[in-house]
Every structure is written in structure tokens, then in C-alpha cells.
């Protein structure tokens, strides 16, 4: 029984890792509000700015309030139980 529980927990953990999305940038960086709009988390730039202003977005685990924060490769962005990693 303990092995079954451990397997279920491990499977759930692996599923979460595999569900993580990535976003490939072509330049040196992408601004946070542009990323949120580009991946479809918000319909437009004004909405992206609002969710950032309201402290609903995290970058690398920390609440981010800078709309034009320059995200580079490796940045992990979280919003509304969704995660994307910049590549």
C-alpha cells in the first residue's frame, strides 16, 4: 500500500513537470507584459498590465510588479496556476 501511494505521488509530480510549457525567444529578452500577451494568458496588453499591477504574476518565484521586466533564458513565469519557462 505504501508503494502504491508513493507511486501515485511520484506520477503526479512527474505529470506536473512534463506539463510545464516553454516559450522560445529569438532576441536577448522579452518584456513580461509582452510574454503574457504572446502566450495567450491575457487577451491584450492592457489586461496583461493589470494582472501584473495586481501582483498576480510571479517571476522565478517572486511577485513581479514591473510590467516591462526583461525576461531572459531560464526565467520561470507563473500566473493563474500556469507556468512557462523562457528558452
Amino acid at each position: 500500500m505504501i508503494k502504491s501511494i508513493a507511486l501515485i505521488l511520484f506520477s503526479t509530480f512527474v505529470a506536473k513537470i512534463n506539463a510545464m510549457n516553454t516559450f522560445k525567444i529569438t532576441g536577448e529578452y522579452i518584456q513580461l507584459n509582452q510574454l503574457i500577451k504572446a502566450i495567450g494568458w491575457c487577451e491584450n496588453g492592457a489586461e496583461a498590465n493589470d494582472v501584473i499591477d495586481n501582483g498576480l504574476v510571479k517571476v522565478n518565484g517572486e511577485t513581479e510588479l514591473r510590467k516591462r521586466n526583461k525576461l531572459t533564458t531560464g526565467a520561470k513565469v507563473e500566473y493563474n496556476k500556469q507556468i512557462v519557462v523562457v528558452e
Side-chain angles (χ1 to χ4, degrees), residues 21-58:
N21 295 319
T22 59
F23 183 85
K24 180 120 175 105
I25 57 175
T26 55
E28 290 182 39
Y29 66 88
I30 185 169
Q31 293 178 357
L32 178 58
N33 56 356
Q34 292 174 343
L35 173 71
I36 292 172
K37 182 181 167 189
I39 59 179
W41 287 354
C42 292
E43 291 185 20
N44 55 54
E47 186 181 341
N49 288 340
D50 285 343
V51 298
I52 296 166
D53 284 339
N54 289 315
L56 302 176
V57 179
K58 290 184 177 184

Side-chain angles (χ1 to χ4, degrees), residues 11 15 18 21 27 37 44 53 58 61 66 74 80 84 86-87:
S11 298
N18 292 338
N21 295 319
K37 182 181 167 189
N44 55 54
D53 284 339
K58 290 184 177 184
R66 296 173 293 167
N80 200 24
V84 69
V86 177
E87 288 188 334

